Amino acid sequence: MTDRIREQGGEVHLSASVESITVEDGRVQGMNVRPADSSVERKIFDAVIATTPSHIFPRLVPPLTKDYAERLASVEYMAAVLIVLVLDRPLSHVYWLNVADRSIPFVGVIEHTNLIGPEHYGGKHIVYLSNYLTTDHPMYRMEQQELLDEYLPHLRKINSDFDPSWVETSYHHRVDGAQPVIGINYSQHIPSHRTPFEGVYLANTTQIYPEDRGTNYSVRMGRAVARLVMNDLE
Ligand SMILES: Cc1cc2nc3c(=O)[nH]c(=O)nc-3n(C[C@H](O)[C@H](O)[C@H](O)COP(=O)(O)OP(=O)(O)OC[C@H]3O[C@@H](n4cnc5c(N)ncnc54)[C@H](O)[C@@H]3O)c2cc1C
């Protein structure tokens, strides 16, 4: 995807954080961006599409109108804690296992290499343990080793032969705005892609209702917002 963007004259900056979106007289000017290992740079743009969760967006822009701020605040998010295990052998033959047993401290076991074969991963077997919780949950705050100590014994319920020595490497991630929780009458509260600032757009997972969060819907929304921006700029 990066190659395709660059072929068409675009630029991709990895590990660069947007500190703020600059607005003057109600119109976008650009962004203050901190590139990796460098100081903040001011960049000029005709339009900015923010893809942050709704609770992050107000921190990047000047004060929003009351109505738009309330729309953003009308959705709460579940957070997620993710552990990815790299195993030297398969855990099971199942690709996607939802776990509804509350004695098990995670909600999904996705053995990715049962869908896309281990030959694509140097012969390793990739297992993703997913968990959705609130940011004040003790497991959200746990460090990687604490989570592994908590999780791994339960993998024996899936494969009684499982042994922690099968784990060659593991990865730990936290996502605070992982899953929007949609309340009643939400169709009347969805924030629009056009924000109160001309040239500043918002496109995130709270705006795909009535669908639930998914990559396919985000791609569809990305195309729709790109068309909206192009039309507005004409
Ligand atoms: C745990 C989890 C599991 C999921 N599982 C599935 C699944 O199985 N199938 C499926 O279809 N979908 C799944 N999804 C949903 C899917 O990941 C999202 O729908 C999709 O990634 C949304 O795309 P996006 O581009 O809108 O946002 P994102 O992919 O979230 O991209 C937004 C980007 O903005 C960056 N960003 C935020 N703030 C700043 C800032 N200030 N400066 C610079 N960059 C910033 C973030 O780092 C991020 O890279 C899952 C999501 C989560 C969290």
Side-chain angles (χ1 to χ4, degrees), residues 13 15-20 31-34 50-53 56-57 60 78-82 95-96 110 128 130-132 175-179 203-205 208 212-219 221-222:
H13 300 272
S15 302
S17 75
V18 175
E19 307 275 300
S20 61
M31 298 191 300
N32 289 320
V33 184
R34 185 185 296 278
T51 62
T52 68
I56 304 291
F57 182 66
L60 300 179
M78 292 292 284
V81 165
L82 326 172
Y95 164 52
W96 189 296
I110 294 108
Y128 157 43
S130 83
N131 206 358
Y132 289 85
V175 185
D176 69 346
Q179 168 74 57
N204 70 29
T205 51
I208 56 165
D212 189 23
R213 178 205 70 171
T215 307
N216 45 347
Y217 302 118
S218 294
V219 169
M221 183 173 64

Side-chain angles (χ1 to χ4, degrees), residues 1 48-51 193 201-208 214-231:
M1 189 161 77
V48 170
I49 303 173
T51 62
H193 294 306
Y201 302 81
L202 180 68
N204 70 29
T205 51
T206 68
Q207 294 162 300
I208 56 165
T215 307
N216 45 347
Y217 302 118
S218 294
V219 169
R220 185 175 72 183
M221 183 173 64
R223 290 191 175 129
V225 176
R227 272 194 298 274
L228 182 68
V229 173
M230 296 307 285
N231 287 339

